Structure formats: structure tokens, C-alpha cells
């Protein structure tokens, strides 16, 4: 289905759902040639005042860090088996990976880790037909972490990002 995007809504915080996503791709969309890890949650907290249960932070880490790493781990062999075409693994990090937000410390830390993981993955796969991209958004008007009524307009940001990906950039920020 050239030019078409297919998606399956799943829980990035669930290893079972991540495994099911790969099985769904193999069964229903064997021509799939790209995975974009775009799930993320941002829990605003003040570390000096936060008394929330550890599970809240663990969930943020599971979705933002473990999920994308697990998906890349299980999709890499699948994409490597497609020897006749170039495939894409893309991870979405954040500008907060480089300049952390004090009110979003876990989010910022997980996105910094995704940045480092993606660089390592890119170098590990550089001699293959798997292209590894990192999308590094700035503040974009979305509902991440509440309501962002500041930043770039979502449609404009996506269009500019896609233009840069099509131009061959591997770190688009």
C-alpha cells in the first residue's frame, strides 16, 4: 500500500501489546517498512514536593523508554529480513532531552535516554538497509503533559519534519 499509513492502537506500556503489534504487522501488513515510536507521557512534578507512588514514575519510564527500546528490539530482526528494501525505525525524543524541564524530570530523562539509544542503534545498523531516525520536537501545541497553548502549530511542525526526513536527515530537531 504505497503512500498509506496503517496503525494499530496499542498500549506502549504493555510488553504484551508491543509483541502483538509485531505479530499484527507480520499477519496484516507484511509490506510494512517503517515503525515510528511516538508514544509518550509527561507527568509534571516537583521533585521536592512529590509524594506519589513509585508506580507513577515507573509507568512514565515504561511508556517513554522501555516501550520504544522493546519495539526496536523486536522490529529490528524483522526489518533486517527485508533485504530488498530500505526500512525505517524512527524514535521521537524531545528538545527536553538536551535542555531538561525541571517540572518534567522523568520525561526529560527518558527522552535523553531515547536520544542516546537511537544514536547507538543508528551506528549499529549503519551497514544495513535499516535507516534509524530520531525526531526531536520542540514545544508543539498538543495535549502532552496537559495543554500546550504555546509552541509550533502541530500541522506546520509535522509538514516541516516530513520534508526534512524526505531530504535524508537522520536527526530532525
Amino acid at each position: 500500500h504505497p503512500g498509506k499509513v496503517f496503525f494499530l492502537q496499542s498500549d506502549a506500556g504493555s510488553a504484551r501489546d508491543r509483541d502483538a503489534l509485531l505479530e499484527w504487522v507480520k499477519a496484516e501488513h507484511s509490506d510494512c517498512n517503517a515503525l515510528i515510536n511516538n508514544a509518550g507521557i509527561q507527568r509534571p512534578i516537583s521533585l521536592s514536593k512529590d509524594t506519589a507512588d513509585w508506580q507513577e514514575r515507573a509507568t512514565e519510564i515504561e511508556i517513554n523508554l522501555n516501550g520504544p527500546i522493546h519495539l526496536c528490539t523486536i522490529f529490528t530482526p524483522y526489518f533486517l529480513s527485508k533485504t530488498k528494501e530500505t526500512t525505517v525505525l524512527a524514535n521521537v525524543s524531545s528538545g527536553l532531552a538536551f535542555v531538561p524541564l525541571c517540572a518534567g524530570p522523568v520525561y526529560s530523562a527518558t527522552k535523553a535516554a531515547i536520544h542516546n539509544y537511537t544514536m547507538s542503534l543508528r551506528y549499529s545498523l549503519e551497514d544495513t538497509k535499516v535507516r534509524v531516525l530520531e525526531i526531536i520536537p520542540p514545544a508543539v501545541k498538543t495535549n502532552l503533559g496537559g495543554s500546550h497553548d504555546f509552541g509550533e502549530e502541530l500541522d506546520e511542525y509535522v509538514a516541516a519534519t516530513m520534508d526534512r526526513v524526505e531530504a535524508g536527515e537522520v536527526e530532525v530537531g
Side-chain angles (χ1 to χ4, degrees), residues 21 34 49 88 101 105 122 151 153 157:
L21 176 61
K49 298 175 185 170
V88 174
L101 177 66
R122 182 179 309 117
E153 294 292 335
Y157 173 74

Side-chain angles (χ1 to χ4, degrees), residues 41-121:
I41 59 172
Q42 183 182 79
R43 184 175 156 260
I45 59 173
S46 168
L47 291 177
S48 65
K49 298 175 185 170
D50 186 46
T51 58
D53 184 76
W54 167 251
Q55 191 55 47
E56 288 189 33
R57 290 185 183 129
T59 298
E60 196 168 358
I61 293 166
E62 185 66 29
I63 291 170
N64 296 354
L65 180 60
N66 296 349
I69 290 174
H70 181 204
L71 285 165
C72 286
T73 299
I74 62 177
F75 269 80
T76 294
Y78 178 65
F79 283 169
L80 286 171
S81 73
K82 295 173 168 278
T83 58
K84 295 183 180 176
E85 66 180 307
T86 298
T87 56
V88 174
L89 289 170
N91 288 324
V92 178
S93 65
S94 170
L96 297 177
F98 305 94
V99 182
L101 177 66
C102 184
V106 176
Y107 178 84
S108 297
T110 59
K111 293 305 183 172
I114 284 297
H115 166 70
N116 287 307
Y117 174 80
T118 303
M119 286 186 357
S120 296
L121 184 63

Side-chain angles (χ1 to χ4, degrees), residues 121-142:
L121 184 63
R122 182 179 309 117
Y123 294 127
S124 295
L125 297 174
E126 68 184 345
D127 293 327
T128 73
K129 291 182 123 329
V130 179
R131 189 169 169 226
V132 179
L133 310 178
E134 180 181 8
I135 308 301
I136 310 165
V140 178
K141 292 181 182 178
T142 68

